[in-house]
Amino acid sequence: MLATERADPRYAGIEDLSTLDLAKTMNEADASVSAAVAAVLPEVAAAIDAVADRLAKGGRLRYVGAGTAGRMAVMDAAECPPTFSTDPDLVKAIIAGGKAAEGGAVEGTEDDAAAGEAAIAADGIGPADAVVGLAASGRTPFVVAAVREARRRGALTVGLSCNTGTVLSDAAEHRIEVEVGPEVVAGSTRLKSGTAQKFVLNMISTISMVRLGKVYRNYMVDMKVANQKLAARAVRMIREITGAGPDEAEAALAASGNHVKTAVVMLELGVDAAEAGARLERADGRLSGALAA
């Protein structure tokens, strides 16, 4: 039996615990996830380097999942455009059951291997792209078939599961197996398994974007300034990076068309928005390169 499906005797009788004791039990279980992820960080790093290389060369990143894993993938992909100003097509999620499955269960779709293959074909996945398959069990037919088809087409493939020696791992070029063990509620892989997968997704998307130059120091300098909260954050970033006063930073942000990188170059090098933009373009959008030029 898969580790993620086993009933752990430590959690027998949890219905008899007080709410506080049950919360403590779940918290203690969740605390083990970080160590499980830490154990596979070399594999995670190797996969991220390979993904970032594809993206740097103009490829796309696709997550493929079903159920909880698929919905986490949708969430992670959706955050890339506002956080890093990526093209909406750069990072996307393919979830078994399609849009209807993003907000609730669509039963049976995760078992449809043909649909997994078809989804990869429909997206035109090819050698330039990277595909990350997520399945806590490591055997979800939709995900395994999608990863196999993507690999057949020459795409970089990664299999992320929470068991060892999985079919998904065999199907992918890069295997990431986070051994979280049995869940507090047996088989409920939205718990520790879901947390582990979210940890790894955070690393894949964020570190890939760092490698693409979309982060300067630890600032999200490529974010979209889409509301008052983000405008305030942008001004704060500009001030902290350049040492400018609030009025000067706000003026530079406005003159830059709400583009933090451009505003920083303007203030640091004493140039106008057009010249700042040109310097960033010559530096492939990397703020550090534009400031050093």
Side-chain angles (χ1 to χ4, degrees):
M1 182 184 293
L2 296 175
T4 53
E5 294 295 322
R6 290 202 307 265
D8 192 324
R10 292 178 299 170
Y11 306 132
I14 57 173
E15 74 273 19
D16 296 325
L17 295 177
S18 70
T19 300
L20 177 57
D21 285 340
L22 184 48
K24 288 179 178 178
T25 297
M26 291 187 67
N27 188 56
E28 288 170 1
D30 287 341
S32 69
V33 173
S34 181
V37 173
V40 296
L41 286 180
E43 291 86 350
V44 173
I48 293 171
D49 281 339
V51 168
D53 181 65
R54 298 292 174 110
L55 296 180
K57 294 176 180 176
R60 302 169 297 166
L61 171 59
R62 293 293 182 267
Y63 298 134
V64 182
T68 296
R71 284 185 279 277
M72 286 192 302
V74 168
M75 179 175 63
D76 192 85
E79 291 296 332
C80 288
T83 306
F84 303 110
S85 289
T86 58
D87 186 295
D89 192 52
L90 183 67
V91 182
K92 293 179 74 173
I94 297 171
I95 182 171
K99 294 290 288 186
E102 292 181 9
V106 180
E107 301 300 340
T109 55
E110 70 173 43
D111 296 327
D112 193 341
E117 292 180 3
I120 293 297
D123 204 17
I125 296 300
D129 302 317
V131 174
V132 178
L134 302 92
S137 66
R139 64 184 185 186
T140 305
F142 179 94
V143 178
V144 173
V147 168
R148 282 180 176 153
E149 177 63 14
R151 190 170 185 179
R152 187 188 72 79
R153 290 166 167 264
L156 172 80
T157 52
V158 179
L160 171 57
S161 61
C162 294
N163 288 290
T164 58
T166 69
V167 178
L168 178 58
S169 293
D170 290 341
E173 179 181 349
H174 290 266
R175 61 175 62 195
I176 301 171
E177 297 177 335
V178 188
E179 296 182 70
V180 298
E183 302 286 359
V184 172
V185 176
S188 184
T189 52
R190 68 184 182 87
L191 301 176
K192 288 191 296 182
S193 296
T195 300
Q197 290 174 314
K198 183 63 171 70
F199 278 10
V200 176
L201 284 176
N202 285 347
M203 294 177 190
I204 292 173
S205 57
T206 303
I207 298 173
S208 293
M209 294 306 155
V210 171
R211 293 287 168 261
L212 293 177
K214 293 186 170 293
V215 174
Y216 178 71
R217 299 177 187 170
N218 65 331
Y219 295 106
M220 58 172 82
V221 289
D222 250 341
M223 73 171 193
K224 288 185 178 178
V225 181
N227 55 44
Q228 291 182 350
K229 180 192 74 174
L230 296 177
R233 180 182 297 164
V235 170
R236 185 168 61 253
M237 278 194 287
I238 294 166
R239 294 187 62 195
E240 290 177 0
I241 293 170
T242 67
D247 293 342
E248 188 179 15
E250 288 180 10
L253 182 63
S256 71
N258 279 337
H259 191 246
V260 173
K261 286 181 176 177
T262 301
V264 169
V265 175
M266 290 169 62
L267 290 170
E268 288 287 82
L269 301 183
V271 297
D272 62 17
E275 175 61 20
R279 286 175 182 257
L280 282 165
E281 186 173 352
R282 290 195 295 270
D284 293 325
R286 296 177 180 272
L287 181 53
S288 56
L291 293 175

